[in-house]
Amino acid sequence: LFSNRSAAFARLKNWPAALQDAESAVAAKEDFPKAHCRRGMALLGSGLNEDAYVAFARALALEPNDPVALKGRQACISLLPLWSSQRAARWQRRRFGADLARPSGSTKVYAVSDVHFDHKCNEDWAHRIDDFKFREDVLVVAGNMCDTANGLRRALTTLRSKFRRVFYVPGNHEHWVHPSESAKFPDSFTKLMRVLEICDELDVDVHPAAVCRDVFIVPLLSWYTAEFDEDDPFPDPLGKVDQHCRWPIPDTQVWKYMMKLNSAHVSHLYHGTVISCSHFLPRRTLPFSDHFKAAKSMGCARLDEQVRELKGSRRAHVYGHSHRRHVETTDGVMYVNHYHGEDGGKTERAPLLLIYDGRGLISRTEDICDGAPVQR
């Protein structure tokens, strides 16, 4: 009854009523694929594209060949790069220009990557960050915070309590769907939608925004391509990297879709100092350990084209993944990787990297708290 009435309301484009009935249908029979399809259609009609994708993905988890669910999911995949949903519009109004008038000398920007908060030493390290030292400052986190959504919420909650603003991009670990999460996340895009939702709830920035006058931070989603391996630019048929990822599109096309998700943000007009960030490497010349064909899962050269489309008088790009700390300036862009690592928290005061000091771009490590180290 609820499912059929939802369809009738959808034909009338009465989306609130269609959604209410669809949600009642899902609640009454959660393993009914058609109910999830009805919910997806109502969400799509309501301009809630991210939630609609999740609904269609759940329908397909129950019935992989359902034609309505397949068509609905594809519609969402086409719409998501436009960032035209109600949630994206709300963020644009609330976050992008909130600090446009803030004096440029009143904030600093720090960077870190690969924190792996689900390792206890790193959770302890995050809690040791001074509660007051960085209250007017901004932190850029270049991916691989946690493997699970619940762990990510805890990690970002901790960091958000220490800094005025936190900008974050997911890494490969955040796209993993472990067996413990498979009931929640039918695929890795569903997991990504949840990651974005968590960030929205915690006021963690995943989209571009000004952090003060003439300073912008631009997070860029990314994935790797085998073409990054210049000596053998083809996928490894025996490769077993990121086996926990479940993509609704061919694995070799994921990097292209991530580029599309960035397109709307790259097209914005920026000025002054522009700091972009991604998890994966944007340039083949940046250092990494090239063992066991690692280059095939290390980066994406096309990402650097997007980095360089961002116009500004001073530019920096923060990245992670390579397990190597590095700073270099190439053709007017400062590339920064401040790798923390799975064991980074074993160093009690493992530092952050200051990349903007209120006057300009800089590269200087800074302790997470002042005073003498605790004697153990």
Side-chain angles (χ1 to χ4, degrees):
L1 172 63
F2 287 122
S3 177
N4 290 337
R5 194 166 68 181
S6 176
F9 281 130
R11 291 191 189 97
L12 297 172
K13 295 187 175 4
N14 185 343
W15 303 119
L19 180 57
Q20 183 177 354
D21 274 352
E23 290 182 338
S24 296
V26 170
K29 191 170 176 57
E30 195 170 352
D31 60 351
F32 185 34
K34 188 174 286 188
H36 291 281
C37 284
R38 302 294 194 217
R39 184 169 181 270
M41 291 170 62
L43 288 165
L44 202 55
S46 301
L48 299 169
N49 304 336
E50 296 88 352
D51 297 323
Y53 178 89
V54 174
F56 289 123
R58 286 179 176 157
L60 288 167
L62 296 167
E63 180 51 67
N65 296 315
D66 186 291
V68 175
L70 286 168
K71 185 176 180 180
R73 185 180 70 178
Q74 188 57 46
C76 293
I77 288 174
S78 299
L79 287 170
L80 287 173
L82 301 177
W83 300 108
S84 57
S85 69
Q86 289 187 19
R87 182 180 299 160
R90 184 175 68 248
W91 164 84
Q92 179 77 13
R93 291 193 301 269
R94 186 165 55 95
R95 305 290 293 172
F96 181 83
D99 289 331
L100 274 171
R102 185 184 178 93
S104 58
S106 64
T107 194
K108 299 176 182 177
V109 180
Y110 294 84
V112 70
S113 78
D114 300 86
V115 171
H116 296 286
F117 186 89
D118 34 16
H119 290 245
K120 188 177 186 307
C121 67
N122 292 326
E123 180 172 359
D124 293 342
W125 169 84
H127 285 289
R128 286 197 297 270
I129 297 174
D130 192 276
D131 290 329
F132 304 102
K133 181 176 180 178
F134 304 102
R135 293 301 298 163
E136 297 301 316
D137 300 328
V138 176
L139 179 66
V140 176
V141 183
N144 279 7
M145 278 291 295
C146 277
D147 296 356
T148 66
N150 287 339
L152 181 66
R153 174 181 284 279
R154 294 198 335 270
L156 292 177
T157 297
T158 302
L159 294 179
R160 185 67 184 84
S161 70
K162 310 287 186 176
F163 291 84
R164 181 172 64 84
R165 293 182 78 162
V166 173
F167 285 77
Y168 160 76
V169 287
N172 50 314
H173 283 238
E174 286 89 343
H175 289 96
W176 290 358
V177 180
H178 284 279
S180 63
E181 294 185 310
S182 59
K184 297 179 183 177
F185 309 121
D187 62 36
S188 291
F189 280 164
T190 310
K191 178 83 176 282
L192 175 60
M193 296 304 107
R194 180 56 183 151
V195 166
L196 298 180
E197 185 178 33
I198 288 171
C199 292
D200 189 38
E201 292 168 358
L202 298 178
D203 275 342
V204 170
D205 290 282
V206 290
H207 299 299
V211 295
C212 62
R213 188 181 301 134
D214 300 327
V215 180
F216 297 85
I217 298 180
V218 184
L220 299 174
L221 295 170
S222 61
W223 199 251
Y224 49 79
T225 169
E227 295 173 6
F228 205 68
D229 185 348
E230 295 176 332
D231 297 327
D232 180 24
F234 304 100
D236 181 4
L238 302 178
K240 297 183 179 180
V241 179
D242 294 317
Q243 292 184 84
H244 290 300
C245 288
R246 303 178 185 175
W247 300 110
I249 59 178
D251 291 1
T252 55
Q253 301 300 306
V254 175
W255 71 272
K256 292 182 180 180
Y257 191 71
M258 294 297 184
M259 297 295 98
K260 285 186 178 180
L261 289 171
N262 294 335
S263 294
H265 302 326
V266 170
S267 66
H268 278 308
L269 295 177
Y270 305 99
H271 60 273
T273 299
V274 179
I275 301 170
S276 53
C277 58
S278 66
H279 178 65
F280 292 100
L281 280 64
R283 292 179 69 89
R284 182 64 176 80
T285 55
L286 296 170
F288 61 91
S289 178
D290 193 8
H291 66 286
F292 300 114
K293 302 182 179 180
K296 296 183 185 299
S297 57
M298 191 57 58
C300 175
R302 288 281 295 277
L303 181 62
D304 200 45
E305 295 178 14
Q306 292 191 327
V307 170
R308 291 176 177 279
E309 284 183 47
L310 303 169
K311 304 304 180 185
S313 57
R314 294 173 292 192
R315 291 179 294 173
H317 184 77
V318 181
Y319 68 97
H321 194 64
S322 67
H323 291 208
R324 292 193 177 185
R325 292 186 177 183
H326 183 70
V327 179
E328 72 170 59
T329 298
T330 302
D331 297 331
V333 178
M334 183 175 80
Y335 295 91
V336 177
N337 184 347
H338 190 66
Y339 175 75
H340 183 79
E342 294 179 355
D343 296 326
K346 291 181 179 178
T347 301
E348 181 179 332
R349 301 170 74 164
L352 298 167
L353 187 69
L354 177 63
I355 60 172
Y356 178 80
D357 65 356
R359 296 180 296 275
L361 294 175
I362 190 174
S363 170
R364 186 179 73 223
T365 57
E366 191 162 320
D367 282 348
I368 58 171
C369 54
D370 296 326
V374 176
Q375 298 298 318
R376 298 185 184 277

